[in-house]
Each structure stands twice: as C-alpha cells, then as structure tokens.
Amino acid sequence: MAHTRTVFLVLALVGAVGPLYFMFGHMQANGFSLGGLFTAWGANMATRGLMLNMLLSSLVLTVWALIEAPARRDYLPLVAIPVAFYVGLSSGLPLYLYLRARPLN
C-alpha cells in the first residue's frame, strides 16, 4: 500500500502543478482577474463542456467523501474537497485517495 500512496501523492502534485501553470500563465497574460478566467472557461462550447465535466466530477467526489467520512470516522480526506474545486479534480481526487489510503488507528 505504501507504493500506491506514493503514486497518489505524486499524481496529486502533478495534478496541481500542471493546471496551475496554465491558469497562472493565462492570468499573467490577461490580467489577474477571476472574472477573466471564468470568461475564458466559457469561451466556447468545448470549454463549457470541459468546465461542466470538471465541476460535476468534483461534485461526485464531494458527495462520496461526505458520505464516507462519517462512516469511517475519518475526516482528514475532506481537505481534498476544496482542492478539487479550487485547484482541480486532477489534484483533488488523487489527494483524497492518498489520504484515504493511510492506515487508521
């Protein structure tokens, strides 16, 4: 399980660095405006579809984590929820799996 956790942690880091690199690049070129970023995400049908896909997938992760946390009495993996919405599902999901896979006492 230790190797699996390492893979999840690496994926969470790569999943954060990649998208943030492009988002900050966009914001550097077009101004540091969240409104401008939201406008770019809705620029065409393809980007709207991708954005909706990411939001719905993050919502699924949220529902699953909120159902599972009380059953396991393990609330630490819930930190992955804001990561999924603010950084991206590519970071939030592997972070959730990394935290969930740790041994419980």
Side-chain angles (χ1 to χ4, degrees), residues 34-69:
L34 284 178
L37 192 58
F38 288 128
T39 300
W41 285 338
N44 58 52
M45 296 298 278
T47 57
R48 282 186 216 131
L50 183 60
M51 185 64 180
L52 182 60
N53 186 337
M54 293 296 102
L55 284 173
L56 291 174
S57 298
S58 294
L59 182 61
V60 170
L61 172 62
T62 300
V63 169
W64 172 257
L66 289 174
I67 290 170
E68 189 179 57

Side-chain angles (χ1 to χ4, degrees), residues 72-74 102-105:
R72 289 176 40 100
R73 295 186 178 166
D74 181 20
R102 77 190 192 295
L104 295 177
N105 292 331

